[in-house]
Amino acid sequence: LDGLIGGEVGGDAELRQLAVDEKCTVEAELHALEVAVTDVLAELDTSSSPDDVHSAAVVEVRAGVGGDEGALFAQDLFTMYRLYAAQRSWAIELLGDDSMVLRGRGALAALSWEAGVHRVQRVPATEQKGRVHTSTASVAVLSEAEEADLEINDSDLKIETCRASGAGGQHVNTTDSAVRIVHLPSGIVAQCQDERSQQENKKKAMVVLRARILAHETAKLDAERTSNRREQIGSNTRSERIRTYNFHDDRITDHRCALTLHGIPRMLRGELLDEFADALRKAEALAAEEAETEELLSR
């Protein structure tokens, strides 16, 4: 067609116009196919699960920089997600002090926006001079891996048992109920000591382990497809952050969509998460449209 349009293969003006029209039709159909393929891939992508699909998300919240204050902030975030899940009538299964599975309609789609480093700026309760401290906590949101999704050979697992520590009464320190599982090929580790039964702890540890291995394998595939995709939770430093919680100004700012809301108490009750999710969806859609327009103009 290009040769005919450019006059390289002869033909009159009418024939060249037909070629131009045909080229426009083919390009439009090709674009429609590209959009359709993108939509199908998005449906297959666990991080793009539609809001009306019942899904399960493994949420892990870890303290970053800031010492004890970072640990307290991580607990605040963990409680925030529990309250948010309760508001949406999702099932909550605690896997430990810093991880849980949330199951319900749109769970994975709603929570995928929370993955990354969260930064807090506030005066710690132990600070006597009123100085503002900056701390971080990292949030990982993983798709729960069913046994059918991921095959793990028993020979690839190293399972260790030990006596649980911490609160829980006399039983905690007198039985080997705590379970630690190492996936030898990847070095990924999961452990649980919440339950009195060793079998229950093993079951919960395997839920976390499967989710982490699936995320690990997915990240490897993503790295092969594109070299500029950042890891979900970064290095958990103060500079790598997706959202800042400033207690002095009662302000929460999401740096990905430049949205700022006020009302930290409401935020920590999970009442503002949907507003941030909506803004992030719109920002992502706008960025996709701009990229698509730029690509069309460059042709």
Side-chain angles (χ1 to χ4, degrees):
L1 289 177
D2 287 336
L4 185 58
I5 293 171
E8 299 172 6
V9 294
D12 55 21
E14 183 178 355
L15 189 58
R16 283 197 293 274
Q17 184 59 48
L18 288 173
V20 170
D21 295 340
E22 180 67 16
K23 181 180 179 181
C24 291
T25 301
V26 170
E27 287 182 343
E29 291 176 349
L30 179 61
H31 176 65
L33 287 172
E34 290 175 347
V35 172
V37 169
T38 300
D39 290 342
V40 170
L41 291 175
E43 290 177 5
L44 294 175
D45 185 354
T46 57
S47 66
S48 301
S49 299
D51 289 340
D52 59 349
V53 170
H54 189 283
S55 57
V58 178
V59 179
E60 298 182 333
V61 185
R62 302 283 180 83
V65 298
D68 292 342
E69 175 62 15
L72 290 173
F73 179 53
Q75 281 300 311
D76 288 341
L77 293 180
F78 193 76
T79 301
M80 177 178 73
Y81 297 128
R82 285 185 64 182
L83 294 173
Y84 179 67
Q87 292 164 22
R88 301 192 66 162
S89 300
W90 293 342
I92 303 170
E93 180 183 357
L94 298 179
L95 301 176
D97 293 335
D98 58 6
S99 59
M100 58 185 162
V101 182
L102 303 178
R103 300 183 179 91
R105 177 172 292 183
L108 189 58
L111 292 168
S112 62
W113 302 106
E114 295 302 303
V117 176
H118 297 240
R119 181 177 68 173
V120 63
Q121 297 171 325
R122 65 183 176 186
V123 179
T126 56
E127 173 58 55
Q128 297 180 351
K129 295 183 179 180
R131 291 174 298 187
V132 174
H133 289 225
T134 299
S135 307
T136 67
S138 66
V139 177
V141 180
L142 313 173
S143 173
E144 183 183 28
E146 301 292 343
E147 290 188 32
D149 299 330
L150 191 66
E151 183 178 352
I152 302 176
N153 296 322
D154 291 340
S155 58
D156 290 337
L157 299 178
K158 179 181 178 182
I159 301 177
E160 303 171 339
T161 59
C162 59
R163 292 185 180 180
S165 60
Q170 209 172 26
H171 172 84
V172 169
N173 298 311
T174 58
T175 61
D176 293 338
S177 59
V179 175
R180 182 176 185 269
I181 306 176
V182 182
H183 183 244
L184 298 175
S186 64
I188 294 173
V189 179
Q191 57 189 25
C192 182
Q193 65 173 30
D194 287 1
E195 302 296 331
R196 295 169 63 89
S197 162
Q198 187 182 107
Q199 283 301 111
E200 284 299 312
N201 282 329
K202 179 182 176 182
K203 180 180 176 182
K204 286 189 173 184
M206 282 301 299
V207 170
V208 175
L209 188 72
R210 283 196 191 94
R212 289 178 180 172
I213 293 173
L214 182 61
H216 175 72
E217 295 298 325
T218 302
K220 284 172 57 179
L221 290 175
D222 288 342
E224 293 172 3
R225 294 181 187 134
T226 175
S227 60
N228 61 358
R229 187 170 181 177
R230 293 181 298 178
E231 293 182 3
Q232 192 178 64
I233 61 174
S235 60
N236 205 4
T237 63
R238 292 182 178 90
S239 60
E240 286 188 3
R241 82 284 190 206
I242 63 168
R243 190 179 296 151
T244 295
Y245 303 69
N246 186 299
F247 274 64
H248 180 267
D249 297 332
D250 193 31
R251 164 173 53 85
I252 313 103
T253 299
D254 196 294
H255 306 285
R256 296 164 294 179
C257 60
L259 174 65
T260 293
L261 297 176
H262 291 84
I264 284 184
R266 290 185 61 208
M267 181 68 179
L268 295 182
R269 291 195 298 267
E271 297 172 8
L272 300 181
L273 286 174
D274 285 335
E275 292 188 46
F276 280 108
D278 289 341
L280 287 163
R281 288 191 196 96
K282 291 176 182 177
E284 185 179 66
L286 179 61
E289 287 180 14
E290 291 175 349
E292 183 180 321
T293 301
E294 184 177 343
E295 182 181 351
L296 289 173
L297 291 175
S298 65
R299 290 180 178 177

